[in-house]
Amino acid sequence: MSARGRDSRRVDRTRTRWAAFGGLWAAVCVFGALLAAPAAAMAQSSTVLVATVDGPITPVVAQHLVDGVEEASTGGHQALLVEMDTPGGLDSSMRQIIKAFLAADTPVIVYVSPPGGRAASAGALITFSAHIAGMAPGTTIGAATPVNAETGETASDKVINDAAAFAESVARQRGRNVDFAVATVREGRAATADEAQRIGAVDLIAADRAALLAAVDGRTVTLAGGEQVRLDTAGARAVEYEMGLLRQLLALIADPNLAFLFISIGTLAVIYELATPGMGLGGVTGAILLVLGFFALSVLPVNVAGIALLVLAAALFAAEVFTPGVGVFATGGAIALLVAGLFLFEDQAVRVNPAVLLPTALVVGGGSLLAGRLAWRARKNPPLSGPHTLLGATAVVNAATGHTGRVQLQGAWWNARSPGADLHDGQAVRVTDVQGLTLLVEPADATEDPDVH
């Protein structure tokens, strides 16, 4: 073989090797790209922060939503979605939420859901304040007239005028139906989802969360600073914004029924501890329940008159223990507790359920009556400890010297002294009085058996 032929085959082999290496490298690149594609797509997909409100608007809920607005902004989410079903709540908490929504630099979407839910009273105005307001089929919105909690009647004109002006301001800023917003306050007007969309009180109706996010995709909203943002929510990944453990506990005990039960049962436990002192379990349990109850009241719209009636009820129950009679104090305490439950909260949306109120008042009133009877019976029983338990006991004299000697009684040695005749060893004596560590004794009848315990 010539030198030229050998060189030609060497070149062919080299080209073949490079071609194989190039093919392998291309396969590695394609495989790497396939692996990286899902992660890149996930990193680039839009997200929506979702907060849920299911119940009254309390300071706990307000702080949660205010923090949610900040989290949506700092976390780079497309929007904050608030799924809400509420009967209303505290006016100050409502205004705190609306203030945060109006000043938000991230779009806020309020979605009244699930079907059958409502955005009543404070919830209606919160819905009006969102950049985009949606409702599920079968939901309602409105009925925002302020109500006097003590009488159940419409609040004063001054309060209504203030609430109506606030509702008008919020609706006008968001471009919603101002007349309807004002009517919800002045006339207690409410509307179904279809009607609310038709009159421009809300923006859309969506069957579920996915349909809502698809419907608002591409819409442009104007933020507080005037910046316009186009929403990219179709197929967006929902990130649940849940309350922390402490806030969940606050939300749990910030229930008017639980607060009322904690205070009522805690008072009864303390009353029983006073009536029948023991290991202190009743007192400790009662103190814990009272702390939880008053802590719950600190985050609820309480009425001063209701608090005063609670204190009066507790005082009457305590009086029944210290001065038991025919149950006048216990009955008065039960009545005061019942009325306290009616007047305890300022907002009609936050109140004690009558199904909880009446049985609790009866149980606590009856319990205090029983505690009074136990205390009265305990006072009539002879003492079980102390010097008085030694009176009338008999013992045998030991180491007698004149009027003095020693006796063993209830497992202990005592000095004994007879004001009358001398004592002598083996004599049976009866205790007539106790002076310090000395027992005053007198001769016992011969028929009595001395107590040598």
Side-chain angles (χ1 to χ4, degrees), residues 28-309:
V28 170
C29 291
V30 170
F31 183 70
L34 291 175
L35 289 177
M42 181 175 293
Q44 296 175 359
S45 66
S46 59
T47 58
V48 173
L49 191 66
V50 181
T52 301
V53 176
D54 183 13
I57 304 299
T58 65
V60 178
V61 173
Q63 191 58 54
H64 179 60
L65 293 184
V66 170
D67 291 346
V69 171
E70 182 178 356
E71 176 64 25
S73 176
T74 58
H77 300 283
Q78 281 287 309
L80 170 66
L81 172 59
V82 179
E83 297 180 338
M84 184 167 61
D85 177 14
T86 177
L90 188 59
D91 177 78
S92 60
S93 297
M94 173 196 73
R95 292 175 183 262
Q96 183 182 359
I97 295 171
I98 292 176
K99 182 179 179 181
F101 285 4
L102 295 179
D105 56 6
T106 298
V108 177
I109 305 170
V110 171
Y111 179 42
V112 184
S113 65
R118 57 178 171 165
S121 192
L125 273 64
I126 292 172
T127 304
F128 297 153
S129 70
H131 294 97
I132 296 178
M135 298 177 70
T139 55
T140 58
I141 186 172
T145 304
V147 176
N148 189 313
E150 295 184 10
T151 63
E153 299 176 353
T154 302
S156 66
D157 291 341
K158 180 179 179 180
V159 175
I160 291 178
N161 290 337
D162 177 66
F166 184 63
E168 178 181 355
S169 175
V170 171
R172 193 178 300 280
Q173 183 164 347
R174 291 301 189 216
R176 309 204 186 283
N177 189 318
V178 173
D179 293 336
F180 174 75
V182 173
T184 61
V185 176
R186 293 195 179 279
E187 305 169 14
R189 184 178 172 185
T192 63
D194 292 332
E195 181 184 2
Q197 183 188 29
R198 179 174 55 80
I199 64 178
V202 298
D203 301 301
L204 72 156
I205 298 175
D208 53 30
R209 181 191 295 176
L212 174 74
L213 294 179
V216 303
D217 181 63
R219 295 199 181 197
T220 301
V221 300
T222 302
L223 302 180
E227 178 188 1
Q228 291 189 329
V229 175
R230 183 179 182 276
L231 291 172
D232 179 20
T233 55
R237 181 168 55 91
V239 178
E240 299 293 338
Y241 182 64
E242 298 179 349
M243 293 184 179
L245 182 60
L246 177 58
R247 191 166 286 172
Q248 287 181 20
L249 178 61
L250 290 175
L252 176 64
I253 66 176
D255 180 294
N257 296 299
L258 284 180
F260 184 73
L261 285 174
F262 285 157
I263 292 175
S264 301
I265 297 175
T267 300
L268 184 60
V270 172
I271 292 298
Y272 267 88
E273 183 64 29
L274 294 174
T276 56
M279 298 295 293
L281 180 61
V284 171
T285 303
I288 293 174
L289 290 176
L290 287 174
V291 169
L292 289 176
F294 282 107
F295 186 76
L297 292 183
S298 69
V299 294
L300 289 172
V302 295
N303 190 320
V304 175
I307 294 293
L309 286 168

